[in-house]
Amino acid sequence: MSRKRLDITEGDDHRKAVAVSKEQQSWSSVIKPGRKYILTRNASSIVAFAVGKKWRPGSPIGMIGAHTDSCCLRVKPISKKQSDGFLQVGVETYGGGLWHTWFDRDLSIAGRAIIRTKTGAFQQRLVQIKKPILRIPTLAVHLDRQESFSFNKESQLFPIAGLAAAELNRRSEDRDYEKLEKEQSDSNQNYEPLRVPSERHHPYLVELIAKEAEVSASEVVDFEMVLYDTQKACIGGLNDELIFSARLDNLEMSYCSAIGLIESLGTSLGNDSTVRLIALFDHEEIGSTSAQGAASTLLPAVIKRLCTLETSAEENASAYEETLSKSFLVSADMAHSVHPNYPGKHESDHRPEMNKGTVLKINANVRYATNSPGIVLIQEMARRAKKSSTSPSKAETGVPLQLFVGRNDTSCGSTIGSHLGLKMSSGSQYLTGDPSAIAEFIEKFDTFLFDCDGVLWSGSQSFEGTAETLEMLRNKGGCPVSFYCTCQQLTSVGKRLVFVSNNSTKSREEYKKKFDSMNINCNVEEIFGSSYSAAIYISRKLRLSPPKNKVYVLGVAGIETELDSESIPHVGGTDESLRREMTGDDYEKIASGEMLDPDVGIVLTGLDFHVNYLKISLGMAYLRRGAMFLATNIDTTLPSNKTLFPGAGATSAPLIAASGKEPLALGKPSQAMMDAIEGKFKLDRKRTCMVGDRLNTDIQFGIEGGLGGTLLVLTGVSTKEDFLGGGKEVVPMAYVDKLADLASK
């Protein structure tokens, strides 16, 4: 996890700040009531808070959350491009932007550069090149008469940075460039795992970044740069009533949150028993699931550490939970005003208007976190607030509010509120022994995804009550229409069940036999194993062309069967000639390539009961020759017979260590598997629950997949201690002692 530093600053007023600590250090002697602090993670997410003088662990925290990022174009790690006399810069899209709006703009770059200082230490410097240096031109109108503007994001979205001839002339006249070449030549005397920045990017681009960072180009080790429009924001409209600006989403709410916190400090902290806090997160535009995103441990960790401060002689073991239950969070993001040219895009009774008040965004599927208690509280705050300049009321106080709900036939956006609500819930709901809570939980979902090992059975023994519980769910009234998969073989009118297993040793047909042996009703089309997921990914996603389309298998027959079902050629696997010790002759033939199949383009690992040095050596040889590295799953352990055994991750581990490469895992929690399941079963993610026994695979799979719920059963790998107590990385929505508890009365 890229969580390099968490800096803390403190001061007696907002004009004074002193760096005092890092994330790995204790806060007990650092954070003091009555003072103010700023924290950053990854230099892109910020938490700022003021601790009331009377704050005690267990007291409430008033919070505002927003995000700092915007959809943009980011410079690729290797960006140097040249075509038809033009210098171009390779970029990749970040988030879901309207990319056609980036054409014909005066663009530049900003971001951070990692610098190696004269002492050999590494520092990061913020960089903004303020002059326009890039442009993405559209094709001349008489060369392209298309009615609607369309383009290829990979080949037609590269900015032009200049002319090759001009750059050659500059180099010939620039003594600094000769110096750079000499420094680069000197650096080549030492081994560099990656090419230096001036080789991966246009040298002059690196020089511009270095100039802004106030270092030489040879001191720039790496950088992260994004493109931005150099046109500045301004006030517009006939009566100066509008703001014309890029990146309003969501720098405006970040700004308002910061100003709100600062201005609140005009009120003394001396009599305050709360903490005033703002959290501005990175990576909202790409789902918030990063080390510094809203779904990370950042905010829960801050709150948990505040709740362990030694502010009184008494220790409060439940302080974290008490604080969460008393606190309030406002998720602040932008809302879309009704568009005069597209009024039909808004639901007729929920049409936010410009300058008509703050918008409360509501969604029944919890894409936004707003609920009725929150609406009531915000309404009371708005009633008492300083009067808005646009308020039509004659009262001396008050800010108008508006309500927004999206149309049913239009996709709904989302923001950080739901992520934070889940991460900061006071804990998982314990359902065992509570029939009403169980009934309420079940009714939230139409589809249940079940892990198998550790949930339905352990080894060859099914858990008591498993078959009856599954039948109960099948007969529960769910969606009013019949459920069926794409082959239309399933006709149950209750909850839909899908069995999602990371066990790669069995094909779907073999799994069906195991279900039958335990008298568990199941259709083969309800089974989605990691071997099947890998076969689907290779055949329908990668679509490798002959001859480099063979798969070298480190696994057993279950993988081979699913590859055969998709007509994918393969070698290795159950080949008995490979179940032996490696000989001196094998070394020579592998090294020369004589023992290798030249058509192998993929190495696929799963659980292999006969793994040996020879098989690993062949896999490594294929990887060194450019084969893609895939894994059915990377589970480290396998639950069986009420204990744990090595899992598929133990098969891939030697290859990872030897090759230095990480495989793309196609089992849980890989979202490639979730996408395949969604595509096959046409499920509604918000009405789907993942049931499993592992936090780091099953529950994480459901959370990262945006499912409506997750349920942990305590008959497998994970225990209560792994997720209770607050501040944990992965927390299920609910948990039960055993699956059969869902059927208890």
Side-chain angles (χ1 to χ4, degrees), residues 208-281:
L208 289 174
I209 292 171
K211 182 179 180 181
E212 288 296 320
E214 299 180 340
V215 296
S216 68
S218 62
E219 293 174 294
V220 177
V221 181
D222 200 16
F223 55 77
E224 296 173 355
M225 296 289 153
V226 299
L227 276 61
Y228 76 96
D229 188 350
T230 58
Q231 181 175 344
K232 294 183 177 181
C234 64
I235 301 297
L238 294 175
N239 296 291
D240 290 339
E241 69 269 46
L242 302 175
I243 299 174
F244 298 155
S245 176
R247 299 178 297 282
L248 288 174
D249 179 10
N250 189 31
L251 292 183
E252 182 167 341
M253 290 300 99
S254 295
Y255 172 79
C256 290
S257 301
I259 293 299
L261 176 61
I262 292 169
E263 292 189 351
S264 79
L265 299 178
T267 303
S268 171
L269 295 173
N271 295 317
D272 194 351
S273 60
T274 71
V275 172
R276 312 167 194 181
L277 180 149
I278 65 170
L280 312 178
F281 295 97

Side-chain angles (χ1 to χ4, degrees), residues 528 531-542 566 568 676:
F528 205 100
S531 292
Y532 179 59
S533 176
I536 291 293
Y537 183 83
I538 293 169
S539 66
R540 306 183 192 182
K541 181 74 173 177
L542 297 181
E566 293 292 316
I568 300 170

Side-chain angles (χ1 to χ4, degrees), residues 112-175:
R112 66 174 172 183
I114 306 298
I115 307 302
R116 181 187 283 111
T117 65
K118 298 287 195 271
T119 62
F122 294 100
Q123 294 180 355
Q124 59 181 17
R125 307 271 178 92
L126 294 180
V127 170
Q128 179 187 5
I129 297 176
K130 296 181 179 180
K131 72 172 186 176
I133 59 173
L134 302 171
R135 193 175 182 88
I136 309 172
T138 52
L139 191 60
V141 63
H142 57 279
L143 297 178
D144 188 10
R145 296 289 185 180
Q146 58 181 333
E147 296 247 344
S148 59
F149 180 47
S150 62
F151 57 94
N152 185 289
K153 289 187 289 186
E154 178 57 32
S155 60
Q156 296 170 330
L157 195 59
F158 292 143
I160 288 174
L163 300 176
E167 176 64 0
L168 287 173
N169 291 336
R170 185 191 70 84
R171 291 184 192 179
S172 64
E173 298 172 0
D174 191 346
R175 293 182 179 179

Side-chain angles (χ1 to χ4, degrees), residues 585-635:
D585 193 40
D586 293 330
Y587 282 100
E588 294 180 7
K589 289 182 178 180
I590 292 176
S592 67
E594 182 182 347
M595 200 170 172
L596 303 178
D597 189 322
D599 295 339
V600 168
I602 294 173
V603 172
L604 174 62
T605 64
L607 184 58
D608 191 336
F609 299 119
H610 303 281
V611 65
N612 58 33
Y613 190 75
L614 175 58
K615 290 183 177 182
I616 294 169
S617 298
L618 288 169
M620 181 178 177
Y622 285 125
L623 292 177
R624 287 174 60 85
R625 289 173 176 248
M628 189 178 300
F629 194 4
L630 304 180
T632 58
N633 68 90
I634 51 175
D635 293 357

Side-chain angles (χ1 to χ4, degrees), residues 19-249:
V20 296
S21 188
K22 297 179 182 179
E23 186 174 17
Q24 61 266 37
Q25 295 177 330
S26 171
W27 287 11
S28 58
S29 61
V30 173
I31 307 295
K32 303 294 183 183
R35 296 192 177 186
K36 300 164 280 289
Y37 302 87
I38 299 173
L39 306 84
T40 66
R41 180 180 284 183
N42 192 51
S44 59
S45 291
I46 304 169
V47 178
F49 57 93
V51 184
K53 197 76 173 179
K54 296 184 178 180
W55 158 265
R56 296 293 182 269
S59 298
I61 300 177
M63 296 173 278
I64 300 177
H67 66 91
T68 60
D69 62 322
S70 300
C71 297
C72 63
L73 298 174
R74 174 171 163 164
V75 176
K76 288 185 175 182
I78 302 175
S79 71
K80 190 176 184 179
K81 292 185 177 295
Q82 185 171 327
S83 177
D84 296 291
F86 290 97
L87 300 181
Q88 291 181 280
V89 174
V91 295
E92 62 177 327
T93 57
Y94 172 86
L98 297 174
W99 306 118
H100 64 273
T101 65
W102 286 77
F103 282 76
D104 300 322
R105 300 266 186 173
D106 298 335
L107 305 174
S108 192
I109 59 173
R112 66 174 172 183
I114 306 298
I115 307 302
R116 181 187 283 111
T117 65
K118 298 287 195 271
T119 62
F122 294 100
Q123 294 180 355
Q124 59 181 17
R125 307 271 178 92
L126 294 180
V127 170
Q128 179 187 5
I129 297 176
K130 296 181 179 180
K131 72 172 186 176
I133 59 173
L134 302 171
R135 193 175 182 88
I136 309 172
T138 52
L139 191 60
V141 63
H142 57 279
L143 297 178
D144 188 10
R145 296 289 185 180
Q146 58 181 333
E147 296 247 344
S148 59
F149 180 47
S150 62
F151 57 94
N152 185 289
K153 289 187 289 186
E154 178 57 32
S155 60
Q156 296 170 330
L157 195 59
F158 292 143
I160 288 174
L163 300 176
E167 176 64 0
L168 287 173
N169 291 336
R170 185 191 70 84
R171 291 184 192 179
S172 64
E173 298 172 0
D174 191 346
R175 293 182 179 179
D176 288 339
Y177 183 74
E178 293 179 6
K179 180 181 177 182
L180 174 63
E181 281 191 316
K182 183 178 185 306
E183 291 174 344
Q184 184 173 306
S185 176
D186 292 341
S187 69
N188 288 339
Q189 304 302 315
N190 299 319
Y191 173 71
E192 294 289 347
L194 286 174
R195 287 186 291 160
V196 296
S198 56
E199 292 180 349
R200 291 185 280 126
H201 308 277
H202 291 298
Y204 196 30
L205 186 68
V206 179
E207 291 177 44
L208 289 174
I209 292 171
K211 182 179 180 181
E212 288 296 320
E214 299 180 340
V215 296
S216 68
S218 62
E219 293 174 294
V220 177
V221 181
D222 200 16
F223 55 77
E224 296 173 355
M225 296 289 153
V226 299
L227 276 61
Y228 76 96
D229 188 350
T230 58
Q231 181 175 344
K232 294 183 177 181
C234 64
I235 301 297
L238 294 175
N239 296 291
D240 290 339
E241 69 269 46
L242 302 175
I243 299 174
F244 298 155
S245 176
R247 299 178 297 282
L248 288 174
D249 179 10

Side-chain angles (χ1 to χ4, degrees), residues 264-418:
S264 79
L265 299 178
T267 303
S268 171
L269 295 173
N271 295 317
D272 194 351
S273 60
T274 71
V275 172
R276 312 167 194 181
L277 180 149
I278 65 170
L280 312 178
F281 295 97
D282 194 5
H283 290 166
E284 187 272 348
E285 297 291 355
I286 54 173
S288 296
T289 54
S290 70
Q292 56 269 20
S296 73
T297 59
L298 176 54
L299 187 53
V302 170
I303 296 173
K304 188 173 181 63
R305 295 179 81 169
L306 287 172
C307 289
T308 59
L309 297 180
E310 299 172 0
T311 56
S312 65
E314 298 181 7
E315 182 176 342
N316 186 353
S318 63
Y320 178 77
E321 287 76 12
E322 291 176 29
T323 289
L324 289 181
S325 66
K326 298 173 185 176
S327 300
F328 188 76
L329 169 71
V330 174
S331 171
D333 207 332
M334 302 299 289
H336 296 293
S337 161
V338 64
H339 195 303
N341 296 339
Y342 305 91
K345 291 294 184 180
H346 279 71
E347 199 268 344
S348 59
D349 296 320
H350 301 85
R351 302 159 67 88
E353 296 182 47
M354 286 282 196
N355 297 339
K356 290 295 181 69
T358 299
V359 179
L360 303 182
K361 301 165 78 171
I362 303 162
N363 180 259
N365 295 309
V366 202
R367 300 285 285 180
Y368 307 123
T370 313
N371 57 17
S372 289
I375 292 174
V376 171
L377 181 56
I378 293 293
Q379 192 170 228
E380 285 302 307
M381 293 167 58
R383 182 178 287 115
R384 302 180 189 185
K386 179 182 177 181
K387 184 176 180 180
S388 165
S389 60
T390 60
S391 175
S393 171
K394 295 182 180 180
E396 295 182 358
T397 60
V399 172
L401 300 176
Q402 303 182 78
L403 297 173
F404 169 78
V405 174
R407 290 172 57 101
N408 288 325
D409 57 0
T410 304
S411 61
C412 174
S414 65
T415 186
I416 63 172
S418 298

